[in-house]
Amino acid sequence: RPSSWMVLGGAGGLPRFQSLAKYVVDSVRGSGRLFLLAATAVACLLMPPPSHAAPPPNDSFATPITLAGTSGTIGGTIVDATAEAGEPGHWDTARASIWYSWTAPSSGQLRLHTRGSAINTAVAVYTGVSVSQLVRVGSDDQSGGRGAADLTVVVRAGTAYRVAVDLGFFSETRGTTSLTWQLTAGAPPAPPHDAFAAARTISGEVGRATDSS
């Protein structure tokens, strides 16, 4: 029976044998690559779609968290918070606001600050029953230092207020928030520039000044 060597054509068949061996090896390698690509495609099809965390429960003006009493601190998050159609800018453009409601138990001064938040925050206080028809009582960004807002407004007994916490000026970093409120009852003292002779100076072509009368 002729040997394999003879079948391949003797010494002259060696190059053909080497070519055949290379073809077999390349085919095996190619099959492996195809199998890997096919397995990857199947795995991608079987993978569940990426999940997105739900927005916080007080993301909407219509679903605020109620603050009770004359003082307290509450934590929150604006990681997946959104802005609503018609929502005003709380310091600059509204982007990731969360909402709180608070009814003043007595007249006085309400101080709000966001110290303890992990991010740069702005805070604003409003009256009104619709997100597109709010009356701003006051707003602040960064007066509390280290990106925290610190705001004091005059409130009246029995009046319902809405408080918005949002990203601070030009900030895009989202994270956890902290809001502290403190009511000081009684008539507020006159502002330092209550008199004409003590007028507050503003300068520049554009800007914003927050105050209370």
Side-chain angles (χ1 to χ4, degrees), residues 56-58 63-78 98-102 111-118 121 123 163-165 175-182:
N58 55 334
T63 59
I65 290 177
T66 300
L67 308 178
T70 59
S71 64
T73 298
I74 188 170
T77 177
I78 58 173
I98 52 178
W99 290 91
Y100 300 92
S101 63
W102 179 79
R111 183 186 181 191
L112 299 158
H113 71 74
T114 57
R115 291 185 183 89
S117 298
T121 51
V123 65
V163 179
V165 176
T176 57
T177 62
S178 177
L179 176 67
T180 296
W181 70 99
Q182 175 70 55

Side-chain angles (χ1 to χ4, degrees), residues 60-67 84 90 98-103 110 112 123-131 134-138 151 159-165 179:
S60 169
F61 175 85
T63 59
I65 290 177
T66 300
L67 308 178
E84 301 175 66
H90 308 297
I98 52 178
W99 290 91
Y100 300 92
S101 63
W102 179 79
T103 300
L110 176 66
L112 299 158
V123 65
V125 181
Y126 301 93
T127 57
V129 296
S130 169
V131 72
L134 294 174
V135 176
R136 186 191 304 268
V137 179
L151 171 68
T159 301
Y161 296 90
R162 292 295 180 94
V163 179
V165 176
L179 176 67

Side-chain angles (χ1 to χ4, degrees), residues 15-29:
R16 282 183 290 173
F17 176 79
Q18 291 173 333
S19 297
L20 178 60
K22 183 176 184 299
Y23 171 78
V24 172
V25 172
D26 288 348
S27 297
V28 172
R29 288 177 177 172

Side-chain angles (χ1 to χ4, degrees), residues 2 6 23 28 32 46 49 51 72 116 119 124-125 127 153 155 161 169 174 187-188 201 205:
M6 293 178 64
Y23 171 78
V28 172
L46 294 177
S51 59
I119 55 173
V125 181
T127 57
V153 295
V155 295
Y161 296 90
F169 188 58
R174 301 188 180 214
T201 301
E205 296 181 359

